[in-house]
Amino acid sequence: MAEFTMELNEDQKQVRDWIHGFAADVIRPAAAEWDEREETPWPVIQEAAKVGIYSLDFYAQQFFDPTGLGIPMAMEELFWGDAGIALSIVGTGLAAIGVLANGTEEQIGTWIPQMYGTPDDVKVAAFCSSEPDAGSDVGAMRTRAVYDQAADEWVLNGTKTWATNGGIANVHIVVAVVDPDLGTKGHGSFIVPPGTPGLSQGQKFKKHGIRASHTAEVVLEDVRIPGSCLLGGKEKLDERLARAREKAKAGGGERVKNAAMATFEASRPAVGAMAVGTARAAYEVALDYAKTRTQFGRPIIDNQGVAFQLADMRTQIDAARLLVWRASWMAIAGKPFTAAEGSMSKLYASEVAKKVTAQAVQILGGNGFTREYPVERMHRDAAIYTIFEGTSEIQRLVIARTLSGMPIR
C-alpha cells in the first residue's frame, strides 16, 4: 500500500522556514509603514528579489513541487507576514499564471521573465480582467479586441478596473472580447508589452485594506499590439470560436472555459492559502495576548468565553488549510475538480480569515481596535479575500453548478 503522509518533507520544511524568516525579519517590520503610505513597497520587493523569493525560478520551483504544496506553503508564510506587502510581492504571479495557463512555449519564455525584471531592476506585471460594469459578471465585459489583418495587429479599446499593479506594470495581460455574440466564450487574453502607446493608468484606488498593494484602473485607447501577443495564438483562438459558434447553432451549451476562468481556477487555492496566512497571523497575536493579558487576577485565556473562541479559530484555520492542500494536490496530480474543490478551498479559507481576524480584534478589546496592534490591519486586509478573484457568492455558485452539472459561465 502506498504511503500516506500529510507531513512536509525536509526540503519543503527548509523552504517554509526560509520564507517565514523573510516574512518575520523583512515584511513584518515594514508592514505598518507601507499600510499608512498606501504605496508599492519597492524596497521590500527588491529585497525579496535579492534573496530569490521574487523571481520566476522561485515560483517555478514551488509551482512544480510534485506534492502541489509548494505554492500554498509559500503563500501562507508570506501573507502571515503582511497581506498588503505580500500581495505586492506575489501580484505579478496572477499575470504569470495567465500566460502559463493560456500561452505558447515561446510566449512563456519571452514574457514571464520580463514580468519580474532583475534584482537590480525589479518589474511587476498586471492581470486585467474586471471592468466597471463587469466584475463577477464577466459576460458583461466591453473591452474589445479587433484584429487588423493587414498589419497583423490587435487593436484594444476599453477600461479595466481593480487591476493589481495596473498602470505601473511592465507587462499587462488583458482579457478582451473578440466575438461579442458568443458571450464569455468569445473572450481572448492579450499581452501588452512595456511602453505600448495608448495604455495608461486611470484612477488609483484608496482601499480599506491591502493598502501596500497598488490597485488601479487601466485605460486602453487604440492600443495596438503584434498578432503574436494573443495568448495561445490566433489559430487556437479561431478553432475555439468556431466550436463555440457550432454549439450555439445547435442550441447546445459548451463548457469550454474562457481565458480568465482558466486563470482564476488555477489561482483560487493559492488565494485560499493567502487567507490562511492572514488568519493564522491574527490567531497567533490573539493567543499570545490572551495568555499575557490579566483581568480579574488571571489571564483572560482562563475564561471559557475567550478560550473557546481561540479553540474555534485554530480548528477553522487548520480545516481551511486542509481544503487548500487538497485542492493544490489535486491540481498537480491532474485530478479534475469534480466538486469545484478549488472554489471550495478559496470560499472556506476566505470566510475563515474574515471571522478569525474579527475574533482577534474582539479578544484584544480596545487595543485590538487601535493601530498599535496589528490585528486591526489584519482585519481590514482579510475583507478582500471574500471579494477578489471571485466573491464568496460566486464561489458558491460555481460549486453548486458543478455539483448539478450546469455549465459554469
Side-chain angles (χ1 to χ4, degrees):
M1 182 179 291
E3 180 185 358
F4 174 78
T5 179
M6 295 180 65
E7 185 175 8
L8 299 177
N9 61 43
E10 288 304 315
D11 289 343
Q12 290 171 324
K13 289 178 182 177
Q14 288 181 9
V15 172
R16 178 199 62 192
D17 293 345
W18 170 51
I19 301 171
H20 183 83
F22 182 84
D25 298 339
V26 180
I27 294 178
R28 279 208 168 176
E33 174 190 350
W34 291 99
D35 178 71
E36 289 287 344
R37 291 175 64 167
E38 299 192 51
E39 296 174 358
T40 301
W42 290 107
V44 183
I45 299 175
Q46 188 168 37
E47 285 300 311
K50 286 179 179 178
V51 300
I53 289 176
Y54 185 75
S55 71
L56 173 60
D57 287 344
F58 171 75
Y59 288 107
Q61 289 174 10
Q62 303 316 309
F63 186 82
F64 292 111
D65 181 323
T67 69
L69 301 185
I71 288 293
M73 180 184 65
M75 295 301 104
E76 180 177 338
E77 295 304 328
L78 289 170
F79 281 74
W80 172 89
D82 176 69
I85 291 178
L87 191 57
S88 288
I89 293 173
V90 308
T92 293
L94 186 59
I97 289 172
V99 176
L100 283 169
N102 304 295
T104 65
E105 288 187 10
E106 183 179 357
Q107 289 170 332
I108 292 169
T110 299
W111 295 107
I112 292 184
Q114 295 187 49
M115 294 179 175
Y116 289 94
T118 67
D120 294 325
D121 185 21
V122 293
K123 304 293 185 182
V124 294
F127 183 78
C128 308
S129 177
S130 294
E131 298 184 3
D133 296 319
S136 298
D137 181 11
V138 293
M141 191 178 293
R142 295 180 181 176
T143 297
R144 289 294 308 275
V146 177
Y147 184 59
D148 182 344
Q149 189 169 2
D152 186 25
E153 291 180 334
W154 288 92
V155 185
L156 277 59
N157 281 281
T159 299
K160 294 295 182 178
T161 193
W162 310 122
T164 298
N165 298 329
I168 66 170
N170 195 45
V171 177
H172 291 76
I173 304 300
V174 177
V175 182
V177 178
V178 178
D179 187 336
D181 294 334
L182 294 177
T184 58
K185 300 178 185 68
H187 295 176
S189 284
F190 301 84
I191 304 161
V192 181
T196 300
L199 185 148
S200 62
Q201 179 183 307
Q203 176 187 5
K204 177 187 174 182
F205 296 103
K206 296 181 73 67
K207 305 187 298 294
H208 175 65
I210 55 167
R211 302 198 303 194
S213 173
H214 176 96
T215 310
E217 290 181 332
V218 173
V219 180
L220 304 135
E221 296 179 308
D222 292 328
V223 172
R224 284 185 167 267
I225 58 174
S228 60
C229 286
L230 166 64
L231 281 177
K234 192 168 187 303
E235 183 177 346
K236 184 178 177 181
L237 174 67
D238 288 343
E239 290 175 357
R240 178 165 61 82
L241 295 179
R243 291 197 307 271
R245 292 185 189 108
E246 287 301 316
K247 287 285 185 179
K249 286 181 182 178
E254 183 180 25
R255 298 188 66 183
V256 175
K257 300 177 181 68
N258 61 45
M261 185 67 76
T263 301
F264 289 139
E265 281 197 358
S267 64
R268 276 170 180 161
V271 176
M274 298 173 189
V276 171
T278 300
R280 188 183 114 211
Y283 158 77
E284 289 176 2
V285 173
L287 177 63
D288 289 343
Y289 185 88
K291 290 193 290 188
T292 57
R293 172 67 167 171
T294 301
Q295 289 287 278
F296 305 106
R298 61 181 182 176
I300 62 173
I301 198 170
D302 286 352
N303 300 312
Q304 283 188 351
V306 173
F308 284 8
Q309 283 192 75
L310 289 163
D312 287 343
M313 291 159 74
R314 177 59 186 268
T315 300
Q316 291 160 1
I317 290 167
D318 283 8
R321 183 184 298 109
L322 289 174
L323 283 172
V324 168
W325 282 18
R326 179 184 70 166
S328 302
W329 170 77
M330 290 178 68
I332 201 71
K335 295 184 179 295
F337 289 164
T338 56
E341 288 86 351
S343 289
M344 281 186 186
S345 68
K346 197 266 185 187
L347 168 65
Y348 188 74
S350 299
E351 295 292 344
V352 165
K354 281 187 68 173
K355 184 176 181 180
V356 165
T357 55
Q359 287 176 302
V361 171
Q362 187 69 24
I363 289 171
L364 269 67
N367 286 328
F369 200 65
T370 70
R371 295 189 183 180
E372 243 181 279
Y373 289 80
V375 293
E376 176 271 340
R377 184 179 67 253
M378 294 167 182
H379 183 42
R380 287 188 285 109
D381 291 341
I384 193 59
Y385 297 125
T386 61
I387 298 172
F388 73 173
E389 294 199 47
T391 63
S392 288
E393 292 75 21
I394 289 296
Q395 304 308 321
R396 291 184 175 98
L397 182 63
V398 170
I399 295 166
R401 286 186 169 177
T402 302
L403 296 176
S404 69
M406 295 174 62
I408 302 170
R409 291 183 287 273

